[in-house]
Amino acid sequence: MSEKTRGELLSEKLLHNKKNGFDLLEEKEIQAAYDYCEGYKDYLDNSKTERVCAKYSIAMAEKCGFVPFEKGMKLKAGDKVYFDNRGKTVAFVTVGTLPITEGIHIAAAHIDSPRLDLKPNPVFETDEIGYFKTHYYGGIKKYQWLSLPLSLYGTAILKDGSSVDVSIGDNENDPVFCIPDLLPHLAKDQMSKTMSDAVNAEAMNVIIGSRPFCDDKVSQRVKLNVLNILFEKYNITEEDFVSAEFELVPSYMARDIGLDRSLIGSYGHDDRVCAYPSITALFDAKTPAHTIMAVLADKEEIGSNGVTGMKSEFLKYVIEDVAESMGEKLKDVIRNCKCLSTDVSAAHDPNYPEVTEIRNSTRINYGFAASKYTGSRGKSSTSDASAEFVGYVRNIFDKAGVIWQIGEMGKVDQGGGGTVAMYIAELCMDVLDLGVPVLGMHAAFEVVSKLDVYMAYKGIKAFFEA
Ligand code: MN
Ligand code: MN
């Protein structure tokens, strides 16, 4: 082999040459990434709403020995507990060997995704077709939700106070639901509108039936027939929708994308693609030095408001419970905590190169993606992580052989977005955004890279074991 020139040596030493992850990994590790993602696809298919995701994650944790935290517990190294906030936000904690005043290493992901919710008075019939009225949740492009097979998930509290869970559409023998789009032949007026006006949110009514109840003495016979089917199976009446939460999500399951199967297409990668690596890294970390926590939050897509959003005091109370169970004060623990806010980033999309700045955008197959800040315009509404904390995380990742990258969401002034990082920073702990780059984020079918998903797992695990 010929010797390297002085220029080659100098460029190796001084230049930050980013590489595609596939050029950096041995075949064995690429296979490990593909294998890891089989578990991830299973998680996606069983976790389409925040409620079922929380429940499924708790079931996984219980298999690994986690138990619900109870007041008065005296926690010690190796103990595994979880905190369930109303079935929608969960924190899993493994107690480490260091004193709790050394702080907790936290990974925080969210488990709600953009979707269509049912309105509180959703059922109606018009021109002999039965519908549910919907109200979209989170930032969607409305046209993407038309002419898709949709599944219905929900929980209703009935008149007698009992609770009923509903899940229709994900079993292959189930019926599904749909909002048919307008045919192009008659869309002359619609096609001349802007994309945000082309689909009227009040026209996003989902078909629930078309067969009339056979009785000439009553009106609204399609609606009556559908309600009768619901009542027979779930004991739900029309009035019960007032105390219910129903969500429509795509019915299809996660699939490999591409002939090389290097990508995964699915509904809800944002943010299960960080939730799954966060909890599996936690489950796989054996008696760590620091106490570690994975928190899966609800309501991120609508601003983290509400009792199950990250703006609630839930995380603070969890840390306080853990601190007190070891005889320490909340403030002595919380200010030494360190957090990875694990949420997706916008991958550079070659079909839309005009919205990203290639030197500073995150890319598919370039690994776990950090964002020092998110927000919009002049870094408005963000937690801008310190150089010290980015340096701390960088060191951990490099030592553990984690393939990672850092970038911004898109071009300055092109738009923007936020994560839970700023609400966590308000508790007085260091926090850095890290996630998996997504193509087509917030669409009903999003795309991620298996290599990146696996690097998220490796990165979070290294952070937990630091
Ligand atoms: Mn997200
Ligand atoms: Mn999102």
Side-chain angles (χ1 to χ4, degrees):
M1 216 172 88
S2 62
E3 252 180 52
K4 285 180 179 165
T5 65
R6 196 161 152 256
E8 281 174 319
L9 289 169
L10 210 53
S11 71
E12 266 175 30
K13 184 175 161 188
L14 298 183
L15 303 186
H16 183 198
N17 289 317
K18 289 174 258 182
K19 278 194 176 148
N20 187 306
F22 281 99
D23 292 327
L24 298 167
L25 291 179
E26 308 268 324
E27 185 56 40
K28 203 175 72 193
E29 202 160 14
I30 294 169
Q31 192 53 52
Y34 276 48
D35 292 346
Y36 176 79
C37 286
E38 292 304 305
Y40 173 49
K41 285 186 283 178
D42 184 68
Y43 185 77
L44 282 165
D45 295 345
N46 287 286
S47 301
K48 289 191 186 177
T49 71
E50 68 286 357
R51 280 181 195 267
V52 290
C53 187
K55 198 183 260 183
Y56 196 71
S57 303
I58 288 171
M60 285 170 67
E62 285 179 340
K63 271 190 204 147
C64 298
F66 283 75
V67 296
F69 178 82
E70 278 163 34
K71 198 177 157 53
M73 266 185 171
K74 292 281 167 241
L75 295 177
K76 55 176 194 317
D79 284 354
K80 300 172 193 178
V81 292
Y82 69 86
F83 301 74
D84 178 357
N85 182 13
R86 295 161 170 86
K88 296 180 180 181
T89 289
V90 201
F92 302 95
V93 176
T94 301
V95 180
T97 51
L98 286 171
I100 194 68
T101 47
E102 294 292 311
I104 303 172
H105 283 199
I106 302 168
H110 69 91
I111 53 175
D112 62 316
S113 296
R115 59 178 190 253
L116 304 178
D117 286 346
L118 296 197
K119 291 191 182 190
N121 300 299
V123 199
F124 75 104
E125 171 182 341
T126 185
D127 304 340
E128 295 174 90
I129 301 180
Y131 292 97
F132 281 147
K133 297 279 321 168
T134 69
H135 191 142
Y136 64 91
Y137 173 99
I140 64 164
K141 291 161 95 175
K142 285 169 280 183
Y143 72 87
Q144 293 178 340
W145 291 78
L146 307 179
S147 298
L148 284 183
L150 298 168
S151 297
L152 182 71
Y153 278 95
T155 297
I157 307 304
L158 309 184
K159 200 172 275 186
D160 65 4
S162 64
S163 163
V164 184
D165 290 335
V166 173
S167 162
I168 305 168
D170 274 2
N171 185 312
E172 62 179 343
N173 299 314
D174 284 351
V176 296
F177 305 88
C178 185
I179 305 169
D181 197 0
L182 182 61
L183 66 169
H185 317 64
L186 298 178
K188 184 171 108 14
D189 293 345
Q190 186 195 41
M191 297 291 262
S192 64
K193 290 182 182 171
T194 62
M195 272 166 91
S196 57
D197 292 337
V199 180
N200 175 4
E202 292 296 348
M204 294 181 78
N205 303 314
V206 65
I207 294 179
I208 53 172
S210 69
R211 178 173 170 173
F213 190 85
C214 284
D215 184 341
D216 289 343
K217 295 268 162 44
V218 292
S219 60
Q220 303 276 296
R221 294 183 303 145
V222 173
K223 173 175 166 177
L224 186 65
N225 195 45
V226 167
L227 284 170
N228 188 39
I229 294 167
L230 265 183
F231 185 75
E232 283 181 348
K233 180 139 191 222
Y234 296 103
N235 225 14
I236 292 173
T237 67
E238 185 178 15
E239 195 185 348
D240 293 324
F241 282 94
V242 303
S243 51
E245 289 175 307
F246 282 102
E247 305 176 16
L248 289 155
V249 294
S251 303
Y252 41 72
M253 299 296 163
R255 300 288 296 268
D256 286 347
I257 290 191
L259 293 172
D260 57 10
R261 297 179 174 266
S262 57
L263 308 169
I264 305 168
S266 174
Y267 165 70
H269 280 311
D270 178 10
D271 187 33
R272 285 155 196 80
V273 75
C274 296
Y276 183 74
S278 294
I279 59 170
T280 51
L282 186 100
F283 300 159
D284 292 349
K286 307 279 176 236
T287 319
H290 286 92
T291 293
I292 58 177
M293 182 196 306
V295 50
L296 309 182
D298 181 29
K299 297 282 182 279
E300 193 278 339
E301 295 296 356
I302 56 168
S304 296
N305 303 87
V307 67
T308 51
M310 280 302 269
K311 281 188 197 166
S312 92
E313 303 278 285
F314 170 68
L315 178 60
K316 193 162 117 184
Y317 293 155
V318 167
I319 297 171
E320 189 162 24
D321 277 337
V322 173
E324 285 179 353
S325 80
M326 295 180 217
E328 297 293 348
K329 287 197 186 106
L330 169 67
K331 70 180 164 61
D332 293 331
V333 175
I334 208 163
R335 60 188 166 209
N336 292 326
C337 288
K338 293 181 169 65
C339 181
L340 304 186
S341 159
T342 54
D343 202 349
V344 297
S345 75
H348 168 73
D349 186 338
N351 285 332
Y352 302 96
E354 65 278 11
V355 302
T356 47
E357 188 262 287
I358 188 75
R359 285 167 204 85
N360 283 287
S361 71
T362 60
R363 299 179 65 175
I364 288 286
N365 289 328
Y366 277 66
F368 203 15
S371 299
K372 188 171 177 295
Y373 45 84
T374 58
S376 55
R377 302 182 310 280
K379 297 194 180 180
S380 182
S381 288
T382 184
S383 150
D384 194 350
S386 70
E388 288 85 349
F389 190 54
V390 180
Y392 172 82
V393 173
R394 172 188 177 189
N395 193 268
I396 290 170
F397 287 177
D398 288 348
K399 265 192 199 144
V402 177
I403 295 170
W404 70 285
Q405 53 182 326
I406 189 161
E408 295 193 340
M409 186 159 196
K411 276 187 179 163
V412 183
D413 284 345
Q414 183 64 43
T419 66
V420 299
M422 61 181 159
Y423 312 119
I424 291 170
E426 281 171 14
L427 299 173
C428 190
M429 70 176 83
D430 279 308
V431 54
L432 174 63
D433 276 304
L434 271 148
V436 173
V438 179
L439 287 168
M441 192 197 295
H442 282 206
F445 196 65
E446 305 171 304
V447 178
V448 300
S449 130
K450 290 181 180 177
L451 187 151
D452 297 336
V453 178
Y454 185 61
M455 285 301 146
Y457 164 78
K458 257 188 95 163
I460 297 165
K461 188 155 178 280
F463 172 70
F464 281 157
E465 290 171 345

